[in-house]
């Protein structure tokens, strides 16, 4: 099958995004990455008002339109009258999607776990869970649905001298309500081996950063970094990453780094990408994690070269670094002719990975 990639043939497209309590800033990164693949003169971005998200997009050359409520969103979409909407604003309900479908020909959702996804034309589920019942055919599930942010595409793994201290990077996404970052750092400090530790906390971290910094003073070679995108700066030099179970494991798998996962809520525990079969050590709920369990996982990676190589090989086997070209082709094809595109996805993704359609 041949699919048109000519920008001029693409219909008017609107991206809709929002920073949500569980998704954090990644959906905005995803929108920025996808929108950059489209002709700007024929593309608009509608973003639920969030100063951080607006500034992020403006700094990347976009001119987002802000909305506050669902009613305002619908009104803005009616004014823009797009042929294709790519919605990345969290869970939706059926009445809302049906209202949009009354005047929008094609709607694609990302990570919509609400009932509204059943009414969309296509749903990419990156944070997929164990399949308990048959999915509707327009749900596209698996690692190949992960959109790789531009900042991550630039990360290169750096060669290290054998004498260097192993560098452990701790990055728990978002608010970290149970302060898993603090618990993990406290456990790591009990390791009686020479290591470097970098703890990354995001701007919406809901605890006192000074408490982490005070703990870091007890040992040399520990840094606490309060910056949203610091992880991208550290992945190239990390020997082990300790993170939650949302989007960070995908970022790790793009580069290929031994990774320990600690989930910060019950919902994260249902995400089944960051598991042993895909190259991760998943220790379950972070607020219940035992010191010995975390330390054993760290030492397993540090002491056994074969274990590290196996984890990296499993992660890289998904080849998520090439996802964007397939997703771009799919979206453009789908926008022009929705009836043919599912065949494209099955055909093209089968060449790269068997993970997409479940």
């Amino acid at each position: 099958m041949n699919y048109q990639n000519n920008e001029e043939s693409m219909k008017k497209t609107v991206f809709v995004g929002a920073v949500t309590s569980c998704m954090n800033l990644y959906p905005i990164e995803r929108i920025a990455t996808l929108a950059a693949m489209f002709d700007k003169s024929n593309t608009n971005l509608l973003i639920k008002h969030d100063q951080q998200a607006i500034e992020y997009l403006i700094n990347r050359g976009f001119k987002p339109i802000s909305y506050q409520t669902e009613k305002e969103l619908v009104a803005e979409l009616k004014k823009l009258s797009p042929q294709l909407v790519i919605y990345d604003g969290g869970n939706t309900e059926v009445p809302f999607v049906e209202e949009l479908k009354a005047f929008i020909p094609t709607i694609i959702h990302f990570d919509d776990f609400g009932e509204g996804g059943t009414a969309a034309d296509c749903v990419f589920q990156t944070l997929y869970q164990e399949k308990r019942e048959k999915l509707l055919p327009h749900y596209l599930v698996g690692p190949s649905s992960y959109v790789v942010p531009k900042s991550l595409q630039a990360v290169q793994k750096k060669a290290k001298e054998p004498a260097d201290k192993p560098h452990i990077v701790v990055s728990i996404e978002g608010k970290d309500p149970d302060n898993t970052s603090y618990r993990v750092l406290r456990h790591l400090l009990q390791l009686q081996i020479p290591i470097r530790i970098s703890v990354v906390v995001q701007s919406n971290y809901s605890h006192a950063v000074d408490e982490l910094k005070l703990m870091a003073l007890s040992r040399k070679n520990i840094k606490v970094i309060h910056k949203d995108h610091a992880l991208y700066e550290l992945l190239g030099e990390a020997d082990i990453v300790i993170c939650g179970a949302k989007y960070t494991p995908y970022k790790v798998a793009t580069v290929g780094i031994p990774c320990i996962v600690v989930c910060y809520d019950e919902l994260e525990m249902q995400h089944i990408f960051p598991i042993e079969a895909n190259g991760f050590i998943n220790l379950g709920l972070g607020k219940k994690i035992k010191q010995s369990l975390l330390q054993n996982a760290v030492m397993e990676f540090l002491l056994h070269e074969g274990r590290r190589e196996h984890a990296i090989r499993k992660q890289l086997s998904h080849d998520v670094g090439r996802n964007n070209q397939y997703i771009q082709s799919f979206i453009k094809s789908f926008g022009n002719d929705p009836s043919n595109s599912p065949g494209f996805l099955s055909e093209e993704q089968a060449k790269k990975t068997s993970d997409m359609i479940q």
Side-chain angles (χ1 to χ4, degrees):
M1 267 184 279
N2 294 318
Y3 295 88
Q4 293 181 322
N5 284 326
N6 187 341
E7 296 286 3
E8 294 180 357
S9 69
M10 190 62 205
K11 298 173 182 179
K12 186 172 184 179
T13 303
V14 172
F15 291 84
V16 178
V19 176
T20 66
S21 59
C22 63
M23 301 299 188
N24 305 305
L25 195 61
Y26 173 71
I28 305 300
E29 292 184 86
R30 181 159 52 192
I31 279 179
T33 303
L34 292 172
M37 302 174 184
F38 288 72
D39 177 12
K40 282 190 176 182
S41 66
N42 215 22
T43 304
N44 294 96
L45 276 66
L46 287 173
I47 304 298
K48 189 168 185 179
H49 184 74
D50 179 276
Q51 195 58 40
Q52 182 188 19
I54 298 297
E55 289 177 2
Y56 176 88
L57 292 168
I58 290 174
N59 290 338
R60 282 151 184 80
F62 296 101
K63 297 179 180 179
I65 301 169
S66 178
Y67 71 91
Q68 294 273 14
T69 65
E70 199 171 274
K71 185 177 180 180
E72 287 182 15
L73 171 59
V74 173
E76 289 287 352
L77 286 170
K78 284 182 176 178
K79 282 195 291 185
L80 293 169
S81 190
Q83 284 76 49
L84 171 64
V85 164
I86 298 171
Y87 184 91
D88 203 344
N91 299 342
T92 60
E93 299 298 329
V94 171
F96 168 68
V97 179
E98 288 184 339
E99 184 178 6
L100 297 186
K101 290 187 75 174
F103 62 95
I104 299 170
T106 308
I107 301 176
I108 297 175
H109 288 197
F110 276 86
D111 283 326
D112 184 353
F113 293 95
E115 289 298 317
T118 62
D121 296 290
C122 176
V123 181
F124 284 86
Q125 293 287 48
T126 305
L127 300 178
Y128 62 104
Q129 302 172 0
E130 185 177 358
K131 185 177 62 176
R132 293 188 174 89
E133 54 189 48
K134 188 173 179 61
L135 290 168
L136 293 172
H138 69 286
Y139 279 77
L140 308 177
V141 177
S144 296
S145 65
Y146 174 70
V147 174
V148 183
K150 187 175 181 180
S151 299
L152 184 55
Q153 296 170 33
V155 173
Q156 297 290 328
K157 202 77 177 78
K158 300 171 186 175
K160 295 181 64 178
E161 294 295 327
D164 284 355
K165 295 181 177 68
H167 187 185
I168 301 174
V169 175
V170 181
S171 181
I172 308 299
E173 291 179 301
K175 294 182 178 182
D176 189 6
D178 292 311
N179 211 354
T180 303
S181 302
Y182 184 92
R183 183 183 295 269
V184 167
L185 178 58
R186 187 179 65 193
H187 291 340
L188 291 176
L189 289 176
Q190 302 307 311
L191 283 169
Q192 301 303 310
I193 57 172
I195 53 176
R196 292 169 57 206
I197 303 172
S198 295
V199 182
V200 178
V201 292
Q202 297 183 340
S203 59
N204 61 343
Y205 177 66
S206 58
H207 308 277
V209 179
D210 287 345
E211 291 183 4
L212 280 172
K213 291 182 176 180
L214 186 62
M215 193 190 305
L217 290 175
S218 65
R219 288 270 295 269
K220 293 181 179 180
N221 301 311
I222 300 177
K223 291 183 179 180
V224 176
I225 306 166
H226 195 196
K227 183 179 176 183
D228 281 315
H229 300 288
L231 179 64
Y232 296 137
E233 301 166 12
L234 296 169
L235 284 177
E237 60 184 59
D239 294 291
I240 296 174
V241 174
I242 301 175
C243 64
K246 287 192 177 74
Y247 296 108
T248 306
Y250 287 104
K251 298 174 183 179
V252 171
T254 304
V255 182
I257 306 167
C259 183
I260 299 166
V261 173
V262 287
C263 307
Y264 77 62
D265 58 23
E266 298 292 339
L267 180 60
E268 277 201 358
M269 289 183 67
Q270 297 177 47
H271 299 159
I272 63 168
F273 174 66
I275 59 174
E276 177 71 28
N278 293 325
F280 301 88
I281 295 178
N282 194 321
L283 299 181
L285 204 57
K287 65 182 179 182
K288 295 183 178 180
I289 191 172
K290 293 182 178 179
Q291 178 178 304
S292 58
L293 198 63
L294 179 63
Q295 291 181 348
N296 288 343
V298 169
M299 296 308 297
E300 183 176 345
F301 278 140
L302 292 182
L303 295 177
H304 303 289
E305 183 178 358
R307 182 68 179 88
R308 295 194 301 274
E309 291 177 350
H310 175 78
I312 292 169
R313 187 167 60 251
K314 284 288 188 180
Q315 291 175 16
L316 294 179
S317 68
H318 294 292
D319 202 11
V320 295
R322 287 205 295 147
N323 283 357
N324 290 7
Q325 61 182 303
Y326 291 99
I327 294 172
Q328 176 191 20
S329 295
F330 171 78
I331 290 174
K332 291 181 177 180
S333 172
F334 196 93
N336 285 316
D337 187 1
S339 63
N340 287 330
S341 295
F344 157 77
L345 197 69
S346 299
E347 173 187 323
E348 295 298 321
Q349 290 291 340
K351 297 175 184 176
K352 183 170 84 72
T353 176
S354 61
D355 301 307
M356 190 61 161
I357 309 295
Q358 299 193 2

